[in-house]
Amino acid sequence: MTKILDPTIQEYIRTNINADLPSLLLKKSPFPEVTMQEIVQQIKGKRVAEKKFPFLLKEGIIFPPQINLEQASSEKTAQYKADLLKGEKFIDLTVGFGIDAYNLSQAFKEVTLVEQNSVLLETVKHNWDILGREARFISGQLEDFLQDNEEHFDIIYLDPARRNQQKNKVFLLEDLSPNILDIQDRLLAISESVVIKLSPLIDLKYLLSVLPAIFRIDIIAVKNDVKEVVIFLSGRQNDQVSCCCVNLESGEPPFTYIIGDEETAHAEYAEPGKYLYIPNNAILKAGTFNLVSQKFNLKKLHPNTHFYTSDHREGDFPGRILEVECVESKDIKKKRQFNIISRNHPLKPEEIRKKYQLKDGGEHYLIFTQSKKGKIILKSV
């Protein structure tokens, strides 16, 4: 593994950091001790690290295969979770590439990392040595660890593998590796708090139906792209479950509510006023459409249009606020540049651009949607 760290090979990697990788793979490695596949793996890793976890852009860091890079959390989402957790003893039972473990474990005195892939664990151990971070590294199946373990931990963290043996993506807890439903009781027997990272596509109602120990759900987006759903389990009796929707790197405030509040919330409806409110995608994932209307004193346009409106600007809204005016389709001039938004409307953005011969981008928006009176077009001003 450490052969890739030879200064000459590292210089070759730096020189080819922007090279066309398919073409590079067709070449023979200039170094007999490493393959071109290993070189390209490091180039891919550095490229991913630039955007996803820049703290690993240090001399001596080794990157794993692509599949491990894909499932690894970003530095931003890992830091968000790290701010929520602290204690004496932390364990990550599915350490993977260790991005979450490195960030989450900062506020703990004792750190244990379990990983079934021994090669990947060696990579993590090497990188943690470079970063100056200590831990106990255990290579093996987490089921074996849980069977033999007698320790108690303040926090248990898991990021289950979301691909089956056929390499297809899976989402249900019983299809993940490990099967969370099979081990949840054992986890809660050795920790008062279990934190599990899940796919952003997981259904919240399904989670609540199969995991009675949930006391908190966080829906984490970065720049309006929902990246993960994180659930918190506790062995203590939970009378209510809170949900926190966050949109990192947006400057928007988090939106927190109690599961069940949506069922009792009521929305009022109105035609578009001066301002249009577009909730961020973390809130759309949560499905708290009436609660948003009620909490921020906004009117909805339509039961199936999750846009809101008011004549006076309401601050601290977790999403975009646009000053708008209604326009007719005949007034849309061709060849103009707009960001197109289509919600609860028969035409998709690309179809709208083609129909009206519009260019994409610019500072202004055209919003194609519906109010209770029918289809409408709004333009930002």
Side-chain angles (χ1 to χ4, degrees):
M1 178 178 68
T2 54
K3 291 179 181 179
I4 200 74
L5 296 175
D6 180 276
T8 306
I9 299 175
Q10 287 293 305
E11 180 59 32
Y12 183 84
I13 290 172
R14 284 191 290 271
T15 301
N16 289 276
I17 194 67
N18 296 315
D20 179 68
L21 298 187
S23 299
L24 200 60
L25 280 169
L26 295 175
K27 297 180 180 180
K28 181 181 178 180
S29 171
F31 311 102
E33 62 269 38
V34 297
T35 66
M36 188 56 79
Q37 286 78 9
E38 291 174 306
I39 291 172
V40 168
Q41 179 176 306
Q42 297 309 304
I43 294 175
K44 286 182 178 178
K46 288 181 180 294
R47 289 181 180 180
V48 171
E50 285 183 359
K51 296 180 179 179
K52 200 171 181 182
F53 22 79
F55 79 97
L56 288 182
L57 293 174
K58 291 179 175 287
E59 291 292 330
I61 294 295
I62 296 177
F63 294 96
Q66 183 73 23
I67 190 169
N68 303 117
L69 294 173
E70 288 176 358
Q71 181 149 341
S73 294
S74 69
E75 186 176 349
K76 291 294 182 182
T77 60
Q79 287 175 343
Y80 169 80
K81 288 173 284 190
D83 290 339
L84 304 176
L85 306 175
K86 63 181 179 179
E88 294 289 322
K89 299 177 70 173
F90 170 88
I91 184 168
D92 188 332
L93 290 172
T94 55
V95 68
F97 188 38
I99 303 300
D100 275 331
Y102 181 80
N103 286 275
L104 271 64
S105 66
Q106 299 292 331
F108 293 82
K109 291 182 179 180
E110 296 182 30
V111 179
T112 302
L113 307 182
V114 180
E115 172 57 46
Q116 62 181 354
N117 184 329
S118 59
V119 175
L120 182 58
L121 189 64
E122 281 298 313
T123 300
V124 174
K125 186 177 185 304
H126 165 84
N127 289 342
W128 281 43
D129 287 341
I130 295 294
L131 296 168
R133 183 78 174 129
E134 296 182 354
R136 175 175 55 151
F137 297 86
I138 299 176
S139 178
Q141 300 288 335
L142 71 82
E143 291 86 356
D144 295 335
F145 174 85
L146 291 175
Q147 183 175 348
D148 299 333
N149 172 71
E150 295 182 355
E151 285 187 77
H152 189 275
F153 299 91
D154 296 298
I155 298 288
I156 295 177
Y157 182 78
L158 298 97
D159 180 5
R162 296 188 289 274
R163 290 185 184 272
N164 58 20
Q165 293 181 345
Q166 291 75 40
K167 306 300 182 184
N168 297 318
K169 290 185 177 181
V170 292
F171 309 105
L172 297 180
L173 299 185
E174 56 265 37
D175 296 329
L176 304 180
S177 179
N179 181 333
I180 299 300
L181 301 185
D182 282 350
I183 65 172
Q184 59 177 317
D185 291 341
R186 180 56 184 153
L187 296 174
L188 291 169
I190 61 173
S191 179
E192 294 181 357
S193 186
V194 178
V195 183
I196 307 173
K197 170 188 168 183
L198 297 170
S199 164
L201 299 180
I202 196 80
D203 183 76
L204 302 190
K205 291 183 178 179
Y206 159 75
L207 287 176
L208 294 166
S209 70
V210 297
L211 290 175
I214 290 181
F215 70 93
R216 174 172 173 158
I217 300 173
D218 280 32
I219 302 172
I220 307 174
V222 180
K223 295 180 179 179
N224 214 30
D225 183 9
V226 179
K227 296 295 186 181
E228 55 195 65
V229 171
V230 179
I231 59 175
F232 299 75
L233 311 183
S234 171
R236 298 185 297 271
Q237 182 176 351
N238 306 306
D239 296 328
Q240 59 185 28
V241 180
S242 65
C243 183
C244 183
C245 305
V246 295
N247 187 18
L248 304 178
E249 298 189 4
S250 68
E252 299 167 4
F255 179 74
T256 302
Y257 67 99
I258 302 300
I259 298 291
D261 284 356
E262 174 68 12
E263 282 65 34
T264 59
H266 298 281
E268 296 183 14
Y269 297 89
E271 292 303 298
K274 185 176 181 180
Y275 295 99
L276 185 76
Y277 300 78
I278 306 174
N280 64 46
N281 285 335
I283 290 177
L284 295 181
K285 168 67 181 176
T288 55
F289 309 125
N290 292 338
L291 196 58
V292 167
S293 174
Q294 183 174 290
K295 183 171 182 177
F296 293 96
N297 194 29
L298 303 173
K299 306 292 194 299
K300 284 196 74 178
L301 297 187
H302 183 279
N304 298 322
T305 300
H306 307 310
F307 290 147
Y308 304 84
T309 189
S310 71
D311 287 322
H312 303 282
R313 185 184 178 98
E314 300 290 338
D316 295 328
F317 180 78
R320 276 180 292 179
I321 305 175
L322 300 176
E323 187 175 345
V324 296
E325 62 182 11
C326 289
V327 296
E328 300 292 332
S329 58
K330 61 182 177 62
D331 296 324
I332 300 175
K333 296 181 180 180
K334 298 178 180 179
K335 309 299 183 182
R336 292 294 180 89
Q337 191 176 33
F338 289 101
N339 296 289
I340 306 297
I341 298 176
S342 176
R343 189 85 54 83
N344 194 22
H345 190 277
L347 294 181
K348 298 178 181 179
E350 56 269 25
E351 295 172 326
I352 293 170
R353 277 190 287 270
K354 183 177 181 180
K355 178 179 178 178
Y356 294 97
Q357 300 180 38
L358 300 172
K359 298 179 181 179
D360 189 27
E363 297 181 358
H364 294 284
Y365 288 82
L366 275 180
I367 301 102
F368 290 71
T369 187
Q370 289 191 57
S371 69
K372 277 199 163 184
K373 290 185 177 180
K375 292 192 288 291
I376 56 174
I377 305 172
L378 303 172
K379 185 179 74 169
S380 65
V381 296

